[in-house]
Amino acid sequence: MMQPVGFIREQSNVLARQFLRTRRPFVASITDAMGNELFRVRRPFWWITSSIYAEIDGKEIGVVHRRWHLWRRIYDLYLG
């Protein structure tokens, strides 16, 4: 039997989720199995290029930027 090691809880607007689909803004809390928050992932609304921010206690620890390309996905990862 498998035991969960953690959970992801997304906080987003229900209407935005339906209408904006993958472009919607959201905040997700990543917790351990006991419910203690380890870090948060935040993505603001976007049209062409997307950015996702990882934060611990409100301090940004990393960013992923998605650059626009005609036929493939390109991601840049920044730490610190």
Side-chain angles (χ1 to χ4, degrees):
M1 186 166 144
M2 297 176 67
Q3 295 292 328
V5 295
F7 301 96
I8 299 175
R9 293 184 177 93
E10 181 181 335
Q11 305 163 2
S12 66
N13 184 307
V14 175
L15 291 176
R17 184 182 197 110
Q18 294 301 314
F19 293 112
L20 300 175
R21 306 266 178 191
T22 60
R23 299 195 186 291
R24 74 184 189 283
F26 72 86
V27 175
S29 298
I30 290 75
T31 63
D32 62 13
M34 303 301 286
N36 302 314
E37 185 176 281
L38 302 174
F39 63 96
R40 285 185 179 216
V41 176
R42 177 179 55 85
R43 183 183 67 194
F45 176 79
W46 62 282
W47 278 111
I48 297 172
T49 58
S50 171
S51 297
I52 297 176
Y53 304 90
E55 302 170 344
I56 294 178
D57 296 326
K59 183 182 176 206
E60 187 177 291
I61 60 166
V63 181
V64 176
H65 292 293
R66 178 180 174 184
R67 288 188 282 153
W68 186 88
H69 192 276
L70 188 58
W71 61 82
R72 64 181 187 177
R73 295 179 182 158
I74 301 174
Y75 297 96
D76 297 322
L77 173 63
Y78 301 95
L79 297 175

